[in-house]
Amino acid sequence: MAVSNPVAFKPFAVTFWTTVAYIAILVPLLVIHETVPSPPSNPTLYAGLNLTKSWLDLTTISRDYHPFNSRQNDDIHDWLLLELEAIKRRNGANDSSVVVLADNISNITTANAVFGAAVPTGTYFEGTNIIVYIRGKDDPHGPWWENGRVYSDKIVGKGGVLMNAHYDSVSSGYGATDDGMGCVTLMALVDYFSRPDNRPQRGIVALFNNNEEDGLWGAQAFANSPLLPFCHTFLNLEGAGAGGRANLFRTTDTEVTKAYKGTQNPFGTVISSDAFSLGAIRSNTDYVVFNGVLGLRGLDMAFYRPRARYHTDQDDAKHTSRASLWHMLSSSLHTIQSLSGDTGQTFIGERADGDRKKVWNGRGSDGVWFDIFGKGFAVFDLRTMFAWSLTLLIATPLILISLTYILIRKDKYYYFSARRSAYEGSELDPIMLGGRKGLSRFPFALLVAGALVIGSAYLITKINPMVIYSNEYTVWAMMISLFYFVFWTIMAGANFARPSALHRGYSTFWLFTIAWCILVADTVFEDRLRIAAGYIFVFFHSAAFLAAFISLCELFALPTKASFAQRAHDDHEIRDHLSAVPHADALISPSHEELQPDDDDEEAESQSAATETTPLVGGGSGDNRTTFATTYRRSISALINQAKSTRSGKGQPYQHEQQWSAHIPSWVWVLQFLILGPFLIILAGQNGLTLVASVSQTGADGSSLLLPYLIVAFFSIFLILPIAPFMHRITHHVPMVLLLVFVVTLIYNLAAFPFTENSRYKIYFQQTVDLDTGSTVVTYTGLPGFVQQTIAELPSAMGKELNCSSRGNVRPGLITCSYDGAAVPPNVVKTHPDGVPPQNGFRSWLDFNITRAEGETRARFEISTVNSRSCAITFKKPVSSFTVGGNGPDERFGTVPESGLTKIKLYRRDWTTPWKVDVQWEIGADGSTGMDGRILCSWDDVNTPGTIPAYDEGLKYSPTWVALSKLSSGLCEGSKAFTA
């Protein structure tokens, strides 16, 4: 019995292999996406690293809220110093090999915020960073950082590596991953490299910076550290989520990225790096200071999901894991080992921009990088990809055109060939080739199915826009199943109505055309904007080209169009002539072998009347005498069918497809699928999952609600494209199952409540107090509807007038609802005994004195406050210059804009020293020389219940699906008006 070809281009084989391939690829991708590699069973696998100790440190640092403006922040600062000194003693390191510095002298004054300022803002910040210097084998001896004034273009020794994390949290989160894990990772690395056996080749600086959350101020204060010129590269550790894998967010160049390559479980893609550079991601990290302002070369590693726990009380040790900590720790160890172990000139030499005010750390090249299945890691130069892209754009069309020309010369190019005459010069009775059938099916199916998928994105955004917040996979399932079913319906239906052997080939040509057009745009982005995120399209174009190339090569197996037309014409001629002979079947009787009588025929024969030729004995059923005539009898139909079978040689075409297609190899589609399928599915799957997880919960921040759905729609389409050329051969079973999936998920996505206790909706809280009048207002900021639902549950808001507006909101896309907070006044400064209303002591929270000579346009503000080290001055008209304590703005961070400043923020390292601010402004258009504005201070410490009762109430009475987060730098903000 003949065995059918298991990879033939037939429905069962195509359905089976494509389904198996998708399951075999997508299931591991989902597992990798949802899980974190387990830590080693031995917590001291590497000498100097102790995971158990690091986890214990994490529970300590995340025990309380510890924002910059809190007493617990001071406690963490002191605890870090004690722990670092203990590490130093435990490892027997002397003061020369390991130096622990409490930097209480580095201050920074800026006239421009690095990012995020809604109005022109100047800032004065007093740092409380902690710095650890681990001397490398190649470093100069002695306390070289004490040798006089620091010149930023001076190279100290052969340069070193900076590793950074911030030890402050936000006022609404415990900071386990933002950035407790970064801090304990730095502590573990200090422990590791301070051991004599692990001494680095080039020195390492560990920076524990403070007040990153309010504007990256600790990193900016490091700009005035004498250790800055020593640092050529950096690794920044951060948390923009609350667990999972530590993602390689972004890097400055290929060379530093190669230091990350080789980690046991790499995770990241250059797409996220380009998203930052294009401004698609609003938030930022210390990376922008170290690279953008100070000119260091380095990497940004951060946790990125789930964002629903970010900056909330679920950013604690309970909601993260040892596996996540180990992932960051092990990846950081490998990266720092590689950077500090580079003994060449990779990170030494003239800068590409020639800026002598920044460290001379060599020239980096733009890179392309991405992980594969969380195990492999690819990294190469962007210029290499640009050369590859340019070559593909030019060479691939020429190759296909050349191959097409050869096929035309050989008379085997069946595409676009509708008919062909049997003989040269004859136009009568042309033979139909059917070479145009299937030409327009692919673009039509793609447009219709793609439009429906994108339409579903708009539908969900219109009706239930936040469902993706906690239901990413139902949205994925809905869009993938919709595209698959609609695309299959059109392609399979068209092929059923008009079968075509060229259907697959035309589809690959359309894929190539689309990929080529996309690659044109991608190549421009690579060259002009240095964007590497389009690497997936380079691979897509390469695969589409090879698939189209194979489709053309298949035609070499076919007969020439002329020979096929002649044979077809001859067959028609034979039929026509034989059909013209009268009583043909009577003239030539069929042979015995050609007869296939059924039971009725046999019964009729047995009942036929006997004649004179009938034998006297027996029926002679099988013993009839044959004659010369009966031996060679053949039917006309048998002659024709035998001739056709002999001529075909390789069997018949598949189900009513063109006769000439019988010669096409049936296994070639497998080669095309292997080229188009697995690798592109891996890239599309892991990039799609990562990007959607990154943005699915950003709607609560005021980001676009439509964007996550459009990303799902794009990658849903891209995931199915690799099997698009073969879709018409898939049986109806898979599409019917997916149709059911689509119906169920569509209903669910339209009706489901979008939030759960594990994926809580973030609402932003702040309470403001007018310290002059004693009035207080509680505000909640979020999406319309959900904010009102939350406030309706608060006892202090019941019966109060609710004012909601989106104008002037610090978070665009959201609304702010406020109500009178007199029932829950803040008690951040204990001025009266219990039982006395806090309002009675509001005025004493903030004091200031303004000195200004009559007629002058300058003044000195002396500001003092209680239990706060964060204040600000806002002006009704811009100031043209300012100094704080005699310190003017650092020009490395920009100069005062021509339009002036309308706000000056003030931070101090202690709790009592008043600020002395000198400002100057221009005479007003009306000739006025005075100045009006407000002085405000913020309070953030809610570790003691009752300090900000409105916040306590929000935590207690808000729905279980709501999480509170800080709106701005202060949970409570009090202000007084001034006139100067």
Side-chain angles (χ1 to χ4, degrees):
M1 182 177 65
V3 179
S4 60
N5 185 355
V7 293
F9 193 47
K10 293 185 178 180
F12 175 78
V14 174
T15 304
F16 177 79
W17 290 117
T18 55
T19 303
V20 166
Y22 271 89
I23 293 175
I25 294 171
L26 294 181
V27 169
L29 286 179
L30 290 172
V31 171
I32 292 170
H33 181 67
E34 288 294 332
T35 60
V36 184
S38 300
S41 56
N42 180 4
T44 58
L45 180 63
Y46 297 91
L49 291 187
N50 189 324
L51 181 59
T52 302
K53 177 62 169 64
S54 295
W55 182 258
L56 180 62
D57 290 341
L58 180 66
T59 61
T60 301
I61 202 171
S62 61
R63 185 171 298 157
D64 299 308
Y65 304 116
H66 50 281
F68 173 80
N69 196 15
S70 70
R71 304 286 180 173
Q72 279 72 17
N73 183 270
D74 289 341
D75 294 341
I76 295 296
H77 174 273
D78 296 341
W79 173 80
L80 284 171
L81 284 174
L82 292 174
E83 286 294 313
L84 292 169
E85 290 289 352
I87 291 172
K88 181 178 173 181
R89 290 194 303 271
R90 187 167 60 245
N91 294 337
N94 56 37
D95 291 339
S96 176
S97 59
V98 177
V99 181
V100 179
L101 301 172
D103 185 0
N104 292 322
I105 60 174
S106 293
N107 304 330
I108 189 73
T109 307
T110 69
N112 280 293
V114 173
F115 85 102
V119 296
T121 303
T123 304
Y124 171 76
F125 174 76
E126 297 177 352
T128 55
N129 295 337
I130 298 173
I131 303 173
V132 180
Y133 168 59
I134 304 172
R135 194 182 304 275
K137 298 175 184 178
D138 294 343
D139 292 359
H141 299 288
W144 48 261
W145 56 90
E146 296 178 357
N147 296 333
R149 185 169 177 268
V150 174
Y151 294 91
S152 57
D153 63 346
K154 181 176 66 175
I155 295 179
V156 179
K158 296 183 179 180
V161 184
L162 170 69
M163 52 185 188
N164 172 75
H166 66 89
Y167 65 85
D168 62 306
S169 73
V170 293
S171 51
S172 56
Y174 295 105
T177 56
D178 183 24
D179 189 22
M181 282 198 179
C183 285
V184 299
T185 295
L186 257 60
M187 294 171 66
L189 294 181
V190 168
D191 192 352
Y192 179 86
F193 287 108
S194 63
R195 298 179 180 235
D197 294 341
N198 301 325
R199 185 182 178 188
Q201 192 68 32
R202 294 183 178 175
I204 297 172
V205 174
L207 172 62
F208 299 82
N209 83 73
N210 198 9
N211 204 16
E212 185 268 355
E213 295 294 356
D214 285 351
L216 317 180
W217 294 113
Q220 294 181 69
F222 184 70
N224 290 327
S225 169
L227 289 164
L228 173 62
F230 172 74
C231 303
H232 287 205
T233 58
F234 72 91
L235 172 64
N236 180 54
L237 303 179
E238 184 55 276
R245 296 182 185 230
N247 187 10
L248 185 61
F249 254 19
R250 50 184 163 171
T251 68
T252 57
D253 52 74
T254 307
E255 290 73 20
V256 294
T257 310
K258 289 180 179 178
Y260 177 83
K261 183 179 182 179
T263 56
Q264 188 175 4
N265 297 286
F267 189 73
T269 170
V270 71
I271 296 176
S272 60
S273 186
D274 286 340
F276 274 103
S277 63
L278 291 174
I281 298 178
R282 293 183 183 179
S283 61
N284 233 314
T285 68
D286 290 329
Y287 175 100
V288 73
V289 176
F290 297 133
N291 172 243
V293 178
L294 304 180
L296 306 186
R297 298 165 60 186
L299 310 91
D300 205 8
M301 189 188 303
F303 297 103
Y304 76 105
R305 65 188 294 256
R307 196 168 176 82
R309 292 174 181 159
Y310 176 60
H311 284 186
T312 73
D313 57 1
Q314 284 189 350
D315 184 12
D316 55 10
K318 177 181 177 181
H319 290 92
T320 187
S321 67
R322 289 173 173 82
S324 293
L325 175 58
W326 178 252
H327 191 254
M328 172 173 276
L329 178 54
S330 59
S331 299
S332 300
L333 173 61
H334 176 85
T335 304
I336 295 297
Q337 283 177 325
S338 299
L339 290 175
S340 63
D342 188 310
T343 57
Q345 300 294 311
T346 309
F347 306 114
I348 299 176
E350 185 178 355
R351 298 177 55 84
D353 57 12
D355 190 347
R356 296 191 63 85
K357 293 183 179 180
K358 298 178 180 178
V359 62
W360 278 42
N361 51 5
R363 298 172 178 264
S365 59
D366 297 310
V368 184
W369 43 270
F370 54 91
D371 75 280
I372 303 173
F373 273 127
K375 287 295 183 182
F377 192 76
V379 55
F380 48 90
D381 288 344
L382 178 60
R383 299 307 299 179
T384 300
M385 190 172 80
F386 173 72
W388 180 12
S389 302
L390 200 60
T391 301
L392 288 173
L393 285 177
I394 298 172
T396 54
L398 294 178
I399 292 173
L400 294 182
I401 291 172
S402 300
L403 190 57
T404 299
Y405 175 77
I406 294 172
L407 287 167
I408 292 174
R409 295 284 297 176
K410 288 183 173 292
D411 196 29
K412 292 189 176 185
Y413 190 71
Y414 281 81
Y415 291 102
F416 306 102
S417 300
R419 58 181 62 86
R420 177 63 182 265
S421 298
Y423 297 96
E424 192 71 26
S426 173
E427 298 295 333
L428 298 176
D429 297 329
I431 301 301
M432 304 303 294
L433 299 178
R436 295 179 183 172
K437 290 196 294 184
L439 172 62
S440 58
R441 297 171 186 176
F442 181 89
F444 178 75
L446 182 62
L447 286 174
V448 173
L452 288 175
V453 170
I454 294 174
S456 70
Y458 280 90
L459 176 66
I460 298 299
T461 305
K462 181 72 174 177
I463 297 177
N464 195 7
M466 296 297 290
V467 69
I468 198 172
Y469 197 90
S470 57
N471 299 283
E472 292 177 26
Y473 293 125
T474 60
V475 177
W476 274 108
M478 180 191 74
M479 294 191 180
I480 290 176
S481 59
L482 174 61
F483 184 80
Y484 192 110
F485 174 77
V486 174
F487 195 89
W488 172 85
T489 300
I490 296 173
M491 296 291 271
N495 196 65
F496 176 81
R498 298 190 68 199
S500 174
L502 298 178
H503 183 115
R504 173 164 49 94
Y506 276 126
S507 296
T508 60
F509 295 154
W510 278 111
L511 275 180
F512 171 78
T513 303
I514 294 171
W516 190 88
C517 293
I518 294 175
L519 189 60
V520 170
D522 180 56
T523 304
V524 173
F525 275 86
E526 292 170 11
D527 184 47
R528 302 295 176 85
L529 300 177
R530 300 189 302 175
I531 297 299
Y535 66 88
I536 189 173
F537 300 121
V538 180
F539 289 110
F540 175 45
H541 179 273
S542 302
F545 161 69
L546 292 176
F549 182 83
I550 292 172
S551 292
L552 288 177
C553 289
E554 283 184 305
L555 300 184
F556 285 106
L558 299 179
T560 63
K561 291 188 286 186
S563 63
F564 172 77
Q566 290 170 8
R567 282 201 299 269
H569 181 271
D570 292 345
D571 287 345
H572 285 296
E573 288 291 320
I574 292 172
R575 286 191 177 91
D576 292 342
H577 285 296
L578 290 177
S579 63
V581 178
H583 308 294
D585 289 331
L587 294 176
I588 304 178
S589 300
S591 67
H592 175 73
E593 291 80 3
E594 295 166 359
L595 291 173
Q596 299 293 332
D598 55 21
D599 294 340
D600 294 338
D601 294 336
E602 293 177 0
E603 183 180 354
E605 181 179 353
S606 65
Q607 296 177 356
S608 60
T611 66
E612 65 273 12
T613 62
T614 303
L616 295 175
V617 180
S621 61
D623 300 324
N624 291 6
R625 292 182 60 194
T626 60
T627 65
F628 179 83
T630 59
T631 301
Y632 293 97
R633 289 173 183 168
R634 296 289 187 271
S635 68
I636 295 174
S637 59
L639 287 171
I640 296 173
N641 291 337
Q642 184 177 354
K644 289 170 59 179
S645 177
T646 302
R647 289 172 183 170
S648 68
K650 292 187 179 181
Q652 298 298 313
Y654 180 80
Q655 290 188 357
H656 309 295
E657 292 181 347
Q658 298 92 328
Q659 287 292 327
W660 46 261
S661 66
H663 296 267
I664 295 179
S666 62
W667 54 267
V668 173
W669 78 275
V670 174
L671 183 59
Q672 291 177 308
F673 176 64
L674 291 176
I675 293 171
L676 284 170
F679 189 63
L680 288 179
I681 295 171
I682 291 170
L683 290 183
Q686 64 184 25
N687 287 336
L689 289 171
T690 301
L691 291 178
V692 172
S694 301
V695 302
S696 62
Q697 296 178 334
T698 57
D701 304 333
S703 299
S704 170
L705 298 177
L706 177 62
L707 180 61
Y709 298 99
L710 291 181
I711 294 176
V712 175
F714 170 79
F715 281 101
S716 296
I717 295 171
F718 202 88
L719 274 172
I720 304 302
L721 281 183
I723 61 167
F726 326 110
M727 188 76 82
H728 61 292
R729 287 286 169 89
I730 292 177
T731 63
H732 67 280
H733 304 88
V734 174
M736 290 302 106
V737 171
L738 292 180
L739 175 61
L740 178 62
V741 170
F742 166 70
V743 173
V744 172
T745 53
L746 175 64
I747 295 172
Y748 180 86
N749 290 333
L750 291 175
F753 188 72
F755 311 116
T756 66
E757 291 187 35
N758 289 325
S759 296
R760 300 181 301 168
Y761 173 64
K762 249 190 305 192
I763 294 181
Y764 299 94
F765 170 91
Q766 188 176 53
Q767 185 171 19
T768 58
V769 181
D770 188 325
L771 299 178
D772 292 321
T773 64
S775 63
T776 177
V777 175
V778 178
T779 62
Y780 283 82
T781 301
L783 289 171
F786 301 116
V787 175
Q788 290 88 333
Q789 288 183 53
T790 300
I791 295 178
E793 300 295 326
L794 306 178
S796 66
M798 294 180 181
K800 301 288 181 65
E801 181 182 359
L802 192 63
N803 299 311
C804 297
S805 174
S806 60
R807 287 185 294 180
N809 202 325
V810 295
R811 292 185 177 270
L814 304 180
I815 66 165
T816 294
C817 294
S818 59
Y819 64 92
D820 182 8
V824 281
N827 195 21
V828 296
V829 178
K830 198 74 172 176
T831 57
H832 291 76
D834 294 337
V836 178
Q839 293 95 321
N840 293 354
F842 279 175
R843 295 186 63 85
S844 64
W845 291 8
L846 168 63
D847 290 317
F848 63 88
N849 181 55
I850 302 175
T851 304
R852 170 178 171 264
E854 184 67 28
E856 291 186 345
T857 57
R858 58 183 179 180
R860 165 169 286 191
F861 292 76
E862 187 169 340
I863 303 170
S864 180
T865 184
V866 183
N867 282 351
S868 176
R869 48 185 181 182
S870 173
C871 290
I873 311 172
T874 62
F875 305 94
K876 286 190 176 180
K877 60 183 179 182
V879 297
S880 55
S881 66
F882 78 100
T883 61
V884 181
N887 299 301
D890 189 327
E891 293 186 357
R892 288 176 294 178
F893 297 87
T895 58
V896 176
E898 292 184 4
S899 58
L901 303 171
T902 57
K903 187 175 184 179
I904 298 175
K905 299 181 70 173
L906 305 167
Y907 297 95
R908 61 186 180 185
R909 63 174 54 92
D910 61 36
W911 298 89
T912 57
T913 304
W915 292 280
K916 295 180 180 180
V917 185
D918 295 291
V919 299
Q920 187 167 351
W921 59 91
E922 304 294 334
I923 298 176
D926 57 356
S928 63
T929 58
M931 173 68 77
D932 297 327
R934 298 191 72 85
I935 298 176
L936 55 90
C937 294
S938 61
W939 289 265
D940 301 271
D941 193 344
V942 290
N943 286 290
T944 302
T947 303
I948 305 179
Y951 184 76
D952 297 337
E953 181 188 60
L955 292 176
K956 183 175 182 178
Y957 292 103
S958 292
T960 57
W961 47 268
V962 168
L964 296 189
S965 185
K966 60 138 187 169
L967 177 64
S968 61
S969 58
L971 283 177
C972 177
E973 191 175 90
S975 64
K976 288 183 177 181
F978 73 84
T979 299

